[in-house]
Each structure stands twice: as C-alpha cells, then as structure tokens.
Amino acid sequence: MTIDTTIAYGSHRDQVADLYLPAMNDPAPLVFVLHGGFWRAAIDRTHARPEAQAFAALGYVVASIEYRRVGNGGGWPGTFDDAAQALDVLPTLIEDARPGRIDQDRIAYVGHSAGGHLALWAALRHYLPTGASWRTETAPRVAGVVALAPAANLVDAYHRSNGEGAVAELLGGGPDELPERYAATDPALLGSADIPVVVVHGDKDQRLPIEMAREYCAKSGAELVELPDTGHFELIDPASAAWPFVVAALRRCLD
C-alpha cells in the first residue's frame, strides 16, 4: 500500500503527515501514527511506514505524522507545538483533501516509544497546567490511545538515562532544573484519561523498561498488555508475534 498524499499542517518541511487510505470508500476510523526515535532527528516517519500500511490494510484511514525533533528545530517547545497542531488541524485538512473518507467520531492516537509519549500527552492536554500553551479547555476529540512501549514517565526516563540522555535533550535539562517543563509534558504527572488507553509493552524491552509501563498503568488506570519474550521494535512489526495484540488493542479503542 502506497501513500495516497502528504498533507502539510504547517510551513516547516517536517510539519507534514503521510495519508494512507483503505480500499473501501466508506467513512473509516482515523488512526494517527506518531513514530519513535527518542525525539531525535535521526529517525523520521519512514520508521513507521510498515505499521501505517498495515493499519490501512485493515480498513483504517491512517495519518503518519512527522514533527520537528531534536536536531532539526524540535525539542522544547517545537516538538510539542507540532504534535498539538497536527492532531488539532489534520482531521479537518484530511476531510478537505479526501471528503467523506474519515469518521470524525472515531479517531485514535497510536504512538511507539517517543511517539507513545506524545500520544499519551496529547490525549491529556486538557489537564495541562494553567498557562501551558498547549492546554485545551475540553478533552481532545480522540476515542482512544494505543501506546506501544511508551516513554510514559519522563522523570523516570531522565533518571534512568533512557536513550542516553534523550529526555534531557528533549526538555533542555532535568526535572530539578526545569520542573515546569516536566509538569507540562510528562504523562505520568497529568493524571488519568477518561477514554480507553492501552499500553502494550514487551517484558524484554532494553530501551524502555517494562517497569515504567507497569507503574504508569497502575497509577493512571490505563490497560497494560504485557507481552512475554518481546523487545522494543516487535510492536511496530506487522510480521511479528506481537502485532495481533497491537491490532486488538486498537480495535478495543475504536470498534
């Protein structure tokens, strides 16, 4: 399955999303895919292409979002500016580009690793501290979130030095130096979503440990799908044994 079109949601070259359409022409649920890569410019949305194609083959409209990352204008605040803007405006832009193809009441965020962090964060923007530029007055219009091996706790990830200091690069320092930045961006500090949230995580993940997912889900009430003998990248591989669990999680959010 090939990209149907690429839609710009801003003026920067990385403020775009690749759109994948299913074979049927009826309105379909819209799945936003947010790729991982520890928020760094070295990894872009091509990393998520097999995942996006597989979701489209299942009958979903898929928008694979690019965003500015550390090294190309991202980090604080650009990465968060882009994630918020993309998720706010793309439903309308997609409807304008391909009228009648999406069901506006059935939208899901799916993110892997750093993208999983952004997906969780984006669904909680109505809980951001007062004055945070990305705060919304009402809950974002999303039916559910599937977070695949997410960086669900930025304070924890900082202290563990996950990604060799990736959180410090993203936010410009640690939680003791910049507590207000962590308060505005860390899903673990923002409370519980009132929509289905499913975290899928492998117990052999060497990049973001399963303990982070267990603690996040215990605190937030999100559902945890813990996969034995599974690492970090199997979750975005449609040929892996983990993939059916990812699909099932998405269906629980949308179907």
Side-chain angles (χ1 to χ4, degrees):
M1 184 169 292
T2 59
I3 297 169
D4 177 77
T5 189
T6 297
I7 298 175
Y9 64 86
S11 58
H12 191 275
R13 66 181 183 277
D14 283 334
Q15 292 174 324
V16 296
D18 293 333
L19 187 67
Y20 299 82
L21 296 179
M24 61 183 184
N25 290 318
D26 295 334
L30 172 60
V31 175
F32 283 116
V33 170
L34 294 134
H35 71 81
F38 280 120
W39 310 279
R40 291 177 175 134
I43 302 297
D44 64 17
R45 67 191 184 281
T46 59
H47 183 67
R49 185 172 295 165
E51 171 192 5
Q53 291 172 327
F55 285 139
L58 292 171
Y60 300 108
V61 174
V62 180
S64 182
I65 295 173
E66 193 56 272
Y67 52 92
R68 286 174 292 170
R69 303 166 310 286
V70 175
N72 71 343
W76 174 276
T79 294
F80 300 94
D81 289 341
D82 288 2
Q85 183 171 333
L87 295 168
D88 284 347
V89 306
L90 277 169
T92 298
L93 294 177
I94 294 168
E95 178 63 30
D96 290 344
R98 298 293 182 267
R101 295 304 302 270
I102 59 174
D103 182 344
Q104 296 275 1
D105 294 321
R106 299 168 73 199
I107 296 174
Y109 303 162
V110 178
H112 174 243
S113 194
H117 156 258
L118 292 173
L120 293 171
W121 170 81
L124 296 167
R125 286 169 54 207
H126 54 308
Y127 293 144
L128 295 185
T130 301
S133 61
W134 311 291
R135 178 184 169 92
T136 59
E137 293 305 313
T138 59
R141 192 174 181 181
V142 55
V145 176
V146 179
L148 308 174
N153 186 323
L154 295 186
V155 174
D156 186 25
Y158 170 83
H159 287 300
R160 292 177 183 269
S161 197
N162 294 134
E164 300 179 343
V167 176
E169 291 178 7
L170 173 70
L171 295 181
D176 292 336
E177 305 164 75
L178 300 165
E180 72 287 350
R181 295 190 180 186
Y182 284 78
T185 60
D186 191 343
L189 301 176
L190 293 175
S192 303
D194 48 9
I195 56 172
V197 175
V198 185
V199 175
V200 185
H201 210 121
D203 69 355
K204 296 295 188 291
D205 195 322
Q206 299 299 309
R207 286 169 172 78
L208 290 163
I210 186 67
E211 289 79 14
M212 186 181 296
R214 290 170 179 162
E215 292 168 6
Y216 175 78
C217 291
K219 181 179 179 180
S220 69
E223 177 187 351
L224 175 60
V225 177
E226 186 171 330
L227 299 181
D229 300 315
T230 302
H232 193 66
F233 295 106
E234 293 97 314
L235 304 180
I236 57 170
D237 179 2
S240 75
W243 185 249
F245 294 92
V246 174
V247 172
L250 180 59
R251 285 176 171 159
R252 288 200 294 282
C253 289
L254 284 175
D255 296 348

